[in-house]
């Protein structure tokens, strides 16, 4: 179930308007609203909208660009570090549908604390975080004995070459630009976490 916190800043008149938005959340909301109402107007004070998400593990996997089948996570735990609640919910749902158990952290300090207490197969790290940004969090995580070899994948809206270099210099292994699709997320995780037999 996806729960959205809606304020007067979000206004749309038709489900088709949401479909034009990039990203998975707009598509899902539009698809859920379309059968229920011809017009959906959200404005005024604070409201919530709950929408069931149709995520489930796939029994068949689409092939990747090389024609090889994409496989699931097979229970390899992933730490998702993301401060935006909607992006956190959507990415968590993607990961779970791919077979990855997910732990969540909303800021860099919490990510470091989680890594000191638990073992993860991979870490998805947003770069812009409150309290401690993703770069500093990565540097501190790399100082933990058990996390020196854990793949850390940067999640950022900045797609400039300099940003990629900053991620790698901080100790991250790879880079995934937002917005990304489920197949993009799956592909990059399989690059760093080969499927278990």
């Amino acid at each position: 179930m996806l729960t959205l916190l809606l304020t007067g800043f979000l206004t749309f008149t038709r489900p088709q308007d949401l479909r034009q938005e990039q990203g998975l959340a707009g598509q899902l909301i539009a698809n859920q609203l379309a059968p229920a109402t011809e017009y959906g107007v959200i404005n005024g004070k604070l409201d919530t909208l709950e929408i069931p998400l149709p995520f489930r593990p796939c029994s068949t996997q689409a092939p990747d660009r090389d024609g090889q089948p994409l496989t699931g996570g097979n229970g390899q735990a992933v730490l998702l570090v993301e401060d935006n609640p909607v992006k956190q919910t959507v990415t968590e749902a993607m990961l779970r549908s791919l077979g990855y158990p997910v732990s969540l952290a909303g800021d860099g300090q919490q990510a470091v604390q989680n890594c000191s207490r638990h073992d993860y197969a991979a870490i998805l790290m947003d770069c812009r975080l409150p309290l401690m940004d993703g770069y500093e969090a990565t540097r501190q995580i790399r100082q933990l004995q058990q996390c020196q070899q854990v793949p850390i994948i940067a999640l950022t809206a900045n797609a400039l070459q300099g940003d990629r270099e900053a991620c790698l210099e901080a100790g991250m292994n790879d880079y995934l630009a937002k917005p990304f699709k489920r197949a993009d997320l799956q592909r990059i995780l399989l690059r760093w976490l080969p499927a278990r037999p």
Side-chain angles (χ1 to χ4, degrees):
M1 180 75 70
L2 172 63
T3 301
L4 297 178
L5 192 61
L6 304 173
T7 70
F9 296 104
L10 174 60
T11 303
F12 62 92
T13 56
R14 296 169 300 166
Q16 300 91 297
D17 296 338
L18 277 172
R19 288 195 185 93
Q20 295 173 2
E21 296 294 323
Q22 288 190 7
L24 184 60
Q27 296 292 321
L28 289 170
I29 295 168
N31 290 341
Q32 293 295 325
L33 286 175
T37 180
E38 183 176 353
Y39 296 97
V41 179
I42 300 172
N43 53 29
K45 56 186 179 186
L46 195 63
D47 285 311
T48 59
L49 173 65
E50 292 188 356
I51 299 172
L53 295 178
F55 286 113
R56 59 188 174 277
C58 293
S59 56
T60 59
Q61 300 292 338
D64 70 6
R65 292 176 186 162
D66 299 325
Q68 299 299 317
L70 295 175
T71 55
N74 295 323
Q76 298 178 87
V78 173
L79 175 63
L80 171 62
V81 189
E82 170 66 69
D83 64 319
N84 181 296
V86 173
K87 292 177 184 175
Q88 190 182 75
T89 300
V90 171
T91 306
E92 178 187 8
M94 286 182 187
L95 288 165
R96 290 191 187 281
S97 76
L98 292 170
Y100 294 97
V102 184
S103 295
L104 303 174
D107 61 65
Q109 287 181 358
Q110 188 180 7
V112 175
Q113 291 171 359
N114 286 8
C115 289
S116 67
R117 298 176 186 150
H118 306 285
D119 292 329
Y120 298 104
I123 300 167
L124 299 175
M125 180 74 70
D126 186 24
C127 292
R128 296 187 181 194
L129 295 165
L131 303 180
M132 179 189 298
D133 67 24
Y135 304 109
E136 180 58 27
T138 297
R139 285 189 281 270
Q140 291 192 24
I141 289 169
R142 286 295 184 219
Q143 293 175 7
L144 301 172
Q145 182 68 30
Q146 70 272 26
C147 294
Q148 292 178 357
Q149 301 301 317
V150 174
I152 301 178
I153 300 162
L155 303 178
T156 179
N158 297 327
L160 302 176
Q161 182 66 25
D163 295 315
R164 182 180 178 87
E165 296 305 319
C167 293
L168 298 176
E169 287 174 11
M172 299 178 190
N173 299 88
D174 214 331
Y175 181 97
L176 186 58
K178 299 177 186 179
F180 52 83
K181 297 178 181 177
R182 181 179 179 273
D184 300 326
L185 179 61
Q186 186 175 31
R187 197 169 286 112
I188 201 166
L189 284 170
L190 288 175
R191 182 182 306 157
W192 294 100
L193 298 178
R196 295 175 178 170

